[in-house]
C-alpha cells in the first residue's frame, strides 16, 4: 500500500528557529518531520509519513498573510501531499490564525484535506469557519492528546471515511449544515422532542437559532435637495431579458444597471427575475418595485439633488445570508466611490 | 367526531375500459377521466399519463399532488368548498386509494413548481417517487391570467382525484384506522396536553391555501378538528418552492396529526389543531400570531408543535408564534427546513427568537443535486432552469440536470413527512 503523504505546518517557535525575535522569518520547507512532527510521525504509524515540514514566522504570516499563503502553497505543492496538518496552535493567537489561513489556502488551491487544532478561545477558530479544527487544551503540555485526536480524524479524512459529529470526533462545529437521513421522520422527531421538553428532560435541538445582528437605522439625511440618492433592490428588477441571468432563487450575483436617460421604467424596458412572488404586477409596471418614476419626479421638483445614474438589483429569494452580505458590502463600496449619500432599499 | 379511514392498497395502475379497483390494481378509463377534467374552458389541452415507481421518468413542472379519496359514510364530501357542499367533514367513513396520487403538471404557472423523478437520486428525496402517479398535463388557453391558470390547474387536480376516489367506494379496505379525539373534559390523568399549530401559506400572489374553499389570507387563525384535513378541507393553491410547500396530499396525510393520534392517550393528550396563516404585512403577521397564541392559551395545553410552510418571509411568522406561545408558558417544538447555501455555511433562517430552543430541521434545501437524464419526460424539461432552485446552465444537452434540492417535490416538507434532516458538521 502506498504511504499517505503528510505535510506539517508549524511556526518558527515549534520549528526551533527562535521565539519572538524570529517571528519575522519567511516560510521555509524542510524534508521530513521537525519538532512536534516527530511525535506526529509516531502517532501516524507506518501507513503515513511526514514528508515535509513547512514553517513560517508568526509575524511574517500576520503581516503578509496573502503573500505568505501563496509562498506556502507553492512549497507544499512540490511534495504532493495527501493531507496538510497544521499546528496544533493551542492558545497562541497569531499561530492559530496562521494555521487556519494556511489550511484554507492549501484546501482551496490543492484540493486536499486539511486539519488543525487549537484552544477554544483561539481567534484562529473564527477565521477557520468550514475547517476541521480539533479542540485542544490551552498549552503545549497536552501536545500528545491534541495530536492523537488530530491523527485520528486526519486518517479518516484521507481515507474518505464517514466523519462523525463534532462531539464524537472532537472538532469544533465548522458552521456547516449537512443533510442526512435520520431514523425517524421529522414529525415523530418533533413529538419526541416535545415530550422530552415537557418532561423537563434533556433534549437536543436540531438547529440552534443563531443570534441575529440587528442593524441600527442611520440618522435621517439632512438637506435632501443637495444629495445624490441611489436605489438598490432585492426585488429582482432587471433590464428586459435579464442580461446577467440573475437566478430566480438563491442568487449568486447582483447586477449593476444604468438609469441614464430613463424617465421611468416600462414593461418593455424592465422586468423582474424574482421567483418568490407573483411577477404579474411587477412586470406590468416595474416602478412598483424600483420607483424610478417617483424619484425622477422628486429630482425635477428639487426635493432630491440627483438620482444616481446606476442602480443595483439582485433576487432576495432563498438567497443565502452569506451571499447577501457579500453583495451588500460590494454595492456599498461602489456607492461610496460614486459619492452617493443615501440609498433607498426596496424589497418585495 | 370519529373518522374511519379505510386504506385500499394500490400496487399497480393501468388504463382500462372501466375505472375500477381489482386485486390491488387501479384501472382507469382514460376518456372518462379526461372528460371529467375537460369541462374547464380555461384549459386548452389535457393529456393523461401514468408514472410508476422505478421508471426512468421525470415529471416537471409539477404543481400539486392529490390523493384519491371518497366519502363512504358521514356528512359532506371530499374537498368541501370546491367539489362538495361546505358541510363539515371528518366524520364517518372515508376510503383512500393508498399508493396512488394525481399529479398536476403543464406549462409553468408560477416560478416555483417542482420536479418528481420516478427513479435515480432525486427519488430518494420525494415521497411522490414511491407512488403510482396519474399525471395530468394541463395546458392553459392563451390569454388567461396566471391566477386563472393556477385555479384551473388546482380544480382539475381535485376533480381527477375525486373521480378516481369513487373507484374505492365499494371496496373492502386492506386496513382501517379510527381517528377520534378524547373530549377535553375527559382528560383525566396527568398526561401532557398537546396542540398542533399549523401555518398555511397565504402570501397571495400564487402562494395561497384554502380552508373549506375560503382563501386563508382572509381568516383569523382558527380551531379545526384534525380529521377535517383528511377529507380534503385544506387544499393547496400554492406555487411556493417545491421542496417545502404543502401539497394537498400532505394536508390529507399530515404526519404530525398521525403521530399525535398514535400517542394520544398513551404519551399525551392530543387536544386539537389550530391553523394559522402567513400573510405578507407585518400587522397581519402580528394579528395572526397573537390570535393563534390566544387559541392555544384557551385550549389550556402544556405543549404545542408548530409547523412552517414556505421559507424566508414565513420564518418571521414561525418565530412570532413561538415567542408568543412560549410566553404563555406553553412549551413549543418547531419544524422548519434550512436555506444554508449550497455549501451549508450560511445562516439557515431569515429570523430567530431566543425562545426557539427546540427545533427539528428537515434539511438544507440549497444542496445541489446532480441528476441523470431520464428516458422519458412528462411536461417541460426546459422549465428546470427557471423554477425556484434551478439555475441557468443547469440543463445540459444530454438531458442531465444540476438543481438545488429545492426543486424536488416534498423534499423538505416542514410537516416532517420524511426522514431527511440537517446537522452540524
Amino acid at each position: 500500500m502506498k504511504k499517505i503523504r503528510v505535510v506539517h505546518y508549524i511556526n518558527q517557535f515549534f520549528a526551533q528557529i527562535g521565539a519572538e525575535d524570529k517571528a519575522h522569518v519567511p516560510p521555509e520547507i524542510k524534508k521530513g518531520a521537525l519538532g512536534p512532527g516527530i511525535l506526529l510521525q509516531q502517532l501516524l504509524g507506518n501507513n503515513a509519513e511526514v514528508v515535509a515540514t513547512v514553517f513560517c514566522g508568526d509575524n511574517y504570516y500576520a503581516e503578509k498573510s496573502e503573500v505568505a499563503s501563496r509562498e506556502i502553497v507553492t512549497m507544499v505543492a512540490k511534495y504532493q501531499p495527501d493531507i496538510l496538518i497544521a499546528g496544533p496552535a493551542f492558545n497562541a493567537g497569531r499561530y492559530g490564525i496562521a494555521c487556519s489561513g494556511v489550511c484554507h489556502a492549501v484546501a482551496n488551491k490543492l484540493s486536499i484535506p486539511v486539519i488543525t487544532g487549537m484552544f477554544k478561545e483561539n481567534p484562529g477558530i473564527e477565521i477557520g469557519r468550514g475547517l476541521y479544527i480539533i479542540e485542544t487544551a490551552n498549552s503545549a503540555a497536552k501536545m500528545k492528546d491534541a495530536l492523537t485526536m488530530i491523527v485520528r480524524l486526519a486518517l479518516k479524512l484521507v481515507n474518505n471515511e464517514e466523519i462523525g459529529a463534532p462531539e464524537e470526533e472532537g472538532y469544533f462545529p465548522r458552521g456547516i449544515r449537512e443533510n442526512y437521513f435520520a431514523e425517524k421522520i421529522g414529525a415523530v422527531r418533533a413529538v419526541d422532542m416535545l415530550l422530552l421538553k415537557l418532561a423537563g428532560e434533556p433534549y437536543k435541538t436540531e438547529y440552534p437559532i443563531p443570534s441575529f445582528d440587528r442593524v441600527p437605522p442611520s440618522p435621517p439625511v439632512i438637506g435632501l435637495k443637495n444629495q445624490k440618492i441611489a436605489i438598490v433592490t432585492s426585488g429582482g428588477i432587471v433590464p428586459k431579458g435579464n442580461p446577467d441571468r440573475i437566478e430566480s432563487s438563491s442568487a449568486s450575483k447582483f447586477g449593476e444597471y444604468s438609469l441614464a436617460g430613463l424617465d421611468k421604467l416600462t414593461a418593455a424596458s424592465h422586468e423582474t427575475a424574482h421567483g418568490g412572488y407573483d411577477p404579474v404586477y411587477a412586470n406590468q409596471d416595474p416602478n412598483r418595485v424600483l420607483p424610478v418614476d417617483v424619484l425622477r419626479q422628486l429630482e425635477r421638483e428639487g426635493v432630491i439633488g440627483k438620482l444616481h445614474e446606476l442602480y443595483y438589483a439582485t433576487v432576495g429569494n432563498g438567497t443565502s445570508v452569506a451571499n447577501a452580505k457579500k453583495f451588500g458590502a460590494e454595492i456599498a463600496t461602489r456607492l461610496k466611490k460614486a459619492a452617493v449619500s443615501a440609498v433607498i432599499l426596496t424589497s418585495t | 367526531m370519529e373518522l374511519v379511514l379505510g386504506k385500499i392498497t394500490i400496487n399497480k395502475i393501468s388504463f382500462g375500459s372501466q375505472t375500477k379497483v381489482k386485486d390491488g390494481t387501479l384501472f382507469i378509463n382514460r376518456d372518462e377521466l379526461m372528460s371529467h377534467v375537460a369541462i374547464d374552458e380555461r384549459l386548452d389541452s389535457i393529456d393523461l399519463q401514468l408514472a410508476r415507481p422505478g421508471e426512468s421518468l421525470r415529471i416537471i413542472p409539477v404543481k400539486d399532488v392529490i390523493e384519491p379519496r371518497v366519502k363512504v359514510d358521514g356528512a359532506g364530501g371530499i374537498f368541501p368548498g370546491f367539489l362538495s357542499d361546505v358541510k363539515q367533514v371528518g366524520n364517518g367513513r372515508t376510503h383512500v386509494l393508498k399508493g396512488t396520487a394525481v399529479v398536476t403538471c403543464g406549462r409553468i404557472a408560477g416560478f416555483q413548481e417542482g420536479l418528481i423523478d420516478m427513479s435515480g437520486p432525486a427519488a430518494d428525496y420525494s415521497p411522490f417517487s414511491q407512488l403510482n402517479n396519474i399525471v395530468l398535463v394541463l395546458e392553459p388557453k392563451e390569454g388567461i391570467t396566471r391566477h386563472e391558470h393556477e385555479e384551473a390547474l388546482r380544480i382539475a387536480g381535485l376533480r381527477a382525484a375525486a373521480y378516481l376516489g369513487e373507484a374505492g367506494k365499494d371496496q373492502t379496505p386492506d386496513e382501517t384506522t379510527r381517528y377520534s379525539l378524547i373530549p377535553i373534559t375527559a382528560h383525566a390523568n396527568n398526561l401532557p396536553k398537546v396542540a398542533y399549530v399549523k401555518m398555511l401559506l397565504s402570501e397571495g400572489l400564487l402562494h395561497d391555501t384554502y380552508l373549506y374553499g375560503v382563501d386563508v389570507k382572509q381568516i383569523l387563525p382558527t380551531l379545526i378538528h384534525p380529521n377535517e384535513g383528511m377529507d380534503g378541507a385544506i387544499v393547496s393553491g400554492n406555487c411556493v418552492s417545491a421542496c417545502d410547500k404543502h401539497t394537498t396530499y400532505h394536508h390529507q396525510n399530515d404526519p404530525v396529526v398521525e403521530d399525535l393520534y398514535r400517542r394520544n392517550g398513551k404519551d399525551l393528550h392530543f387536544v386539537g389543531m389550530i391553523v394559522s396563516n402567513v400573510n405578507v404585512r407585518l400587522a397581519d403577521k402580528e394579528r395572526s400570531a397573537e390570535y393563534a397564541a390566544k387559541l392555544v392559551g384557551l385550549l389550556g395545553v402544556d405543549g404545542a408543535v408548530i409547523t412552517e410552510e414556505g421559507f424566508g418571509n414565513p420564518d418571521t411568522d414561525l418565530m412570532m408564534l413561538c415567542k408568543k406561545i412560549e410566553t404563555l408558558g406553553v412549551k413549543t417544538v418547531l419544524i422548519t427546513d434550512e436555506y444554508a447555501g449550497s455549501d451549508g455555511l450560511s445562516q439557515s433562517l431569515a429570523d430567530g427568537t431566543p425562545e426557539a430552543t427546540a427545533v427539528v430541521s428537515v434539511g438544507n434545501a440549497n444542496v445541489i443535486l446532480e441528476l441523470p437524464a431520464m428516458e422519458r419526460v412528462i411536461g417541460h424539461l426546459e422549465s428546470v432552469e427557471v423554477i425556484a432552485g434551478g439555475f441557468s446552465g443547469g440543463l445540459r444537452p444530454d438531458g442531465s440536470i444540476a438543481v438545488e434540492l429545492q426543486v424536488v417535490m416534498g423534499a423538505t416538507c416542514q410537516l416532517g413527512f420524511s426522514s431527511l434532516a440537517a446537522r452540524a458538521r
Side-chain angles (χ1 to χ4, degrees), chain B residues 69-250:
Chain B
R69 294 187 171 206
V70 65
K71 203 87 194 114
V72 178
D73 190 23
I78 293 298
F79 305 124
F82 286 105
L83 303 189
S84 308
D85 291 342
V86 285
K87 293 254 165 45
Q88 186 202 287
V89 291
N91 252 319
R93 187 180 181 94
T94 297
H95 282 181
V96 188
L97 300 186
K98 209 76 218 165
T100 63
V102 169
V103 170
T104 50
C105 169
R107 208 177 76 207
I108 196 161
F111 265 117
Q112 306 200 337
E113 281 91 17
L115 162 155
I116 300 173
D117 277 359
M118 298 309 292
S119 61
D124 295 340
Y125 291 98
S126 179
F128 309 123
S129 303
Q130 277 73 49
L131 301 178
N132 285 293
N133 294 314
I134 298 103
V135 186
L136 286 175
V137 187
L138 305 160
E139 303 298 352
K141 279 227 172 82
E142 284 302 324
I144 68 164
T145 68
R146 281 173 190 264
H147 308 115
E148 291 170 319
H149 180 181
E150 185 281 320
E151 189 183 49
L153 260 60
R154 171 165 26 102
I155 308 248
L158 300 180
R159 281 196 178 118
Y163 164 82
L164 291 169
E166 289 287 334
K169 193 161 190 170
D170 301 322
Q171 296 286 312
T172 309
D174 299 292
E175 187 194 330
T176 55
T177 314
R178 266 166 214 286
Y179 295 96
S180 69
L181 294 176
I182 304 161
I184 196 158
T185 47
H187 287 227
N189 64 32
N190 54 3
L191 292 176
K193 297 194 227 3
V194 173
Y196 171 25
V197 180
K198 180 174 183 174
M199 288 166 49
L200 301 175
L201 206 73
S202 60
E203 295 174 303
L205 311 172
L206 305 173
H207 296 55
D208 288 309
T209 309
Y210 298 86
L211 177 64
Y212 283 92
V214 176
D215 181 343
V216 301
K217 269 200 298 294
Q218 319 287 353
I219 68 164
L220 285 171
T222 188
L223 190 61
I224 74 166
H225 194 288
N227 291 2
E228 293 175 83
M230 297 180 186
D231 278 343
I234 309 174
V235 163
S236 168
N238 181 4
C239 303
V240 83
S241 292
C243 66
D244 60 9
K245 71 172 173 186
H246 302 337
T247 64
T248 300
Y249 185 97
H250 287 119

Side-chain angles (χ1 to χ4, degrees), chain A residues 19-66:
Chain A
E20 208 48 44
D21 56 318
K22 295 288 181 192
H24 61 279
V25 299
E28 197 178 322
I29 194 158
K30 282 192 172 162
K31 219 174 145 198
L34 183 65
I38 311 288
L39 180 57
L40 175 63
Q41 179 61 68
Q42 280 173 25
L43 294 167
L44 282 166
N46 293 329
N47 295 333
E49 186 185 352
V50 179
V51 291
T53 306
V54 59
F55 55 88
C56 177
D58 283 337
N59 285 350
Y60 183 90
Y61 192 88
E63 285 157 19
K64 303 177 183 171
S65 49
E66 269 184 42

Side-chain angles (χ1 to χ4, degrees), chain A residues 2 88-89 191 240:
Chain A
K2 195 175 155 280
V191 180
K240 191 94 174 176

Side-chain angles (χ1 to χ4, degrees), chain A residues 129 165 171 174 176-180 182 186-187 189 192 197 205-206 212 245 248 250 274-276 278 321-322, chain B residues 111-112 147 205 207 263 326 332 338 344-347 357 359 361 364 386 392 404 416 418-419 421-423 425:
Chain A
R129 204 171 156 83
Y171 62 90
R174 298 179 299 153
I176 291 181
R177 302 292 296 169
E178 179 192 78
N179 284 351
Y180 73 105
R189 303 202 306 273
D192 283 345
K197 193 172 174 180
T205 184
E206 295 179 3
F212 281 73
R245 309 193 83 173
S248 67
S250 309
H274 200 292
D278 174 357
V321 174
Chain B
F111 265 117
Q112 306 200 337
H147 308 115
L205 311 172
H207 296 55
R263 305 193 207 205
E326 286 274 346
T332 63
E338 302 184 37
L345 273 165
S346 188
Q347 176 186 296
T357 56
V359 179
S361 167
N364 173 17
V386 292
S392 173
E404 287 190 6
S418 309
S419 64
R423 60 189 171 194
R425 276 295 183 268

Side-chain angles (χ1 to χ4, degrees), chain B residues 235-415:
Chain B
V235 163
S236 168
N238 181 4
C239 303
V240 83
S241 292
C243 66
D244 60 9
K245 71 172 173 186
H246 302 337
T247 64
T248 300
Y249 185 97
H250 287 119
H251 291 304
Q252 295 168 302
N253 291 279
D254 189 324
V256 176
V257 167
E258 192 68 35
D259 201 52
L260 290 173
Y261 262 130
R262 185 172 67 85
R263 305 193 207 205
N264 193 18
K266 294 196 275 283
D267 304 323
L268 52 83
H269 278 307
F270 184 15
V271 173
M273 175 171 171
I274 291 155
V275 287
S276 187
N277 54 9
V278 182
N279 288 7
V280 283
R281 287 172 204 273
L282 186 60
D284 291 335
K285 291 180 185 299
E286 285 278 2
R287 185 190 306 113
S288 288
E290 292 273 334
Y291 212 95
K294 178 189 70 184
L295 293 177
V296 170
L298 284 171
L299 287 175
V301 293
D302 304 298
V305 176
I306 310 174
T307 60
E308 184 176 8
E309 182 174 15
F311 64 96
N313 178 298
D315 294 344
T316 301
D317 302 77
L318 180 70
M319 294 304 159
M320 274 189 191
L321 283 167
C322 171
K323 189 182 184 74
K324 291 178 195 297
I325 293 171
E326 286 274 346
T327 306
L328 297 173
V330 175
K331 303 265 192 287
T332 63
V333 170
L334 318 181
I335 307 182
T336 181
D337 61 353
E338 302 184 37
Y339 284 75
S342 59
D343 56 7
L345 273 165
S346 188
Q347 176 186 296
S348 298
L349 300 182
D351 203 356
T353 182
E355 289 83 0
T357 56
V359 179
V360 165
S361 167
V362 292
N364 173 17
N366 290 136
V367 165
I368 306 279
L369 298 181
E370 290 285 341
L371 303 177
M374 295 278 153
E375 284 167 21
R376 210 174 122 213
V377 173
I378 300 178
H380 303 275
L381 187 57
E382 69 281 2
S383 66
V384 77
E385 294 197 347
V386 292
I387 59 178
F391 40 83
S392 173
L395 174 60
R396 311 214 177 86
D398 67 354
S400 68
I401 56 176
V403 284
E404 287 190 6
L405 181 59
Q406 197 183 159
V407 308
V408 178
M409 287 293 289
T412 61
C413 171
Q414 296 164 105
L415 301 176

